[in-house]
């Protein structure tokens, strides 16, 4: 479900009107996330680490209103929930697009996500996921510990979906960490909301 957002009474109205005129309104940051506790928890409980941090990221995004805002037909809509349009890596070195519904409980999320991952891994070619605007675009590059990242963009396509990219997990003196790149449309949020996401995501990754 989506609802028309009240732009006129939004404190960020002027910010929206300013950045919405840009050919490239996206900005991004890369930060390291401590995943020591989360990784050890997954190993201990037999949970897949990728799906675990994907679920934590979606849960965090759904908890922050700005991450559920989308620009469609020059209007802002607020979605009740956002889901994952995730890139799935195939054994042959290619990738495919997936659509994974968000579920509050990890166990429910994991069951449906595993079905979708297997579907994509057994497919060929590059077929766009049949998802609407209520998604987060997510990719994982487990071979690279990057410190910066950019995205291929078609400026003729009006895009307002946030984009999360996860990198290689490394370990230093017993502490595990991985980079996450967060790219968002500046018309819909600022650095403050991105910092809220990072802080809450880290808190959730640290939870036992």
């Amino acid at each position: 479900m989506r609802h028309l957002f009240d732009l006129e009474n939004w404190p960020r109205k002027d910010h929206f009107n300013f950045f919405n005129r840009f050919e490239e309104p996206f900005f991004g940051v890369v930060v390291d996330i401590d995943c020591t506790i989360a990784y050890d928890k997954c190993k201990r409980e037999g949970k897949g680490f990728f799906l675990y941090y994907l679920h934590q990221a979606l849960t965090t995004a759904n908890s922050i209103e700005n991450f559920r805002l989308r620009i469609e037909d020059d209007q802002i809509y607020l979605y009740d929930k956002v889901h994952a349009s995730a890139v799935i890596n195939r054994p042959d070195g290619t990738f495919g697009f997936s659509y994974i519904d968000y579920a509050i409980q990890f166990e429910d999320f994991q069951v449906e996500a595993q079905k979708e991952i297997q579907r994509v891994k057994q497919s060929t070619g590059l077929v766009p996921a049949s998802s609407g605007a209520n998604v987060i675009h997510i990719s994982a590059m487990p071979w690279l510990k990057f410190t910066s990242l950019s995205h291929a963009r078609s400026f003729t396509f009006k895009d307002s979906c946030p984009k999360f990219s996860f990198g290689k997990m490394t370990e230093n003196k017993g502490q595990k960490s991985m980079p996450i790149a967060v790219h968002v449309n500046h018309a819909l949020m600022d650095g403050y909301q991105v910092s809220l996401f990072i802080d809450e995501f880290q808190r959730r990754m640290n939870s036992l």
Side-chain angles (χ1 to χ4, degrees), residues 101 103-113:
D101 274 324
I104 295 176
Q105 298 300 321
F106 174 74
E107 290 73 19
D108 298 331
F109 174 79
Q110 180 175 236
V111 169
E112 296 306 315

Side-chain angles (χ1 to χ4, degrees), residues 185-208:
N185 191 310
H186 215 335
L188 298 178
M189 71 182 87
D190 308 309
Y192 173 69
Q193 286 79 24
V194 173
S195 70
L196 290 179
F197 171 84
I198 293 297
D199 289 346
E200 176 61 14
F201 180 54
Q202 181 65 80
R203 187 193 70 78
R204 298 190 64 86
M205 292 289 280
N206 286 344
S207 64
L208 295 172

Side-chain angles (χ1 to χ4, degrees), residues 3 34 95 176:
H3 311 277
D34 186 333
F95 67 85
K176 299 177 179 69

Side-chain angles (χ1 to χ4, degrees), residues 114-126:
Q114 287 174 336
K115 293 178 184 177
E116 177 68 352
I117 288 172
Q118 287 306 309
R119 183 193 68 79
V120 175
K121 283 186 174 182
Q122 294 168 8
S123 66
T124 59
L126 190 63

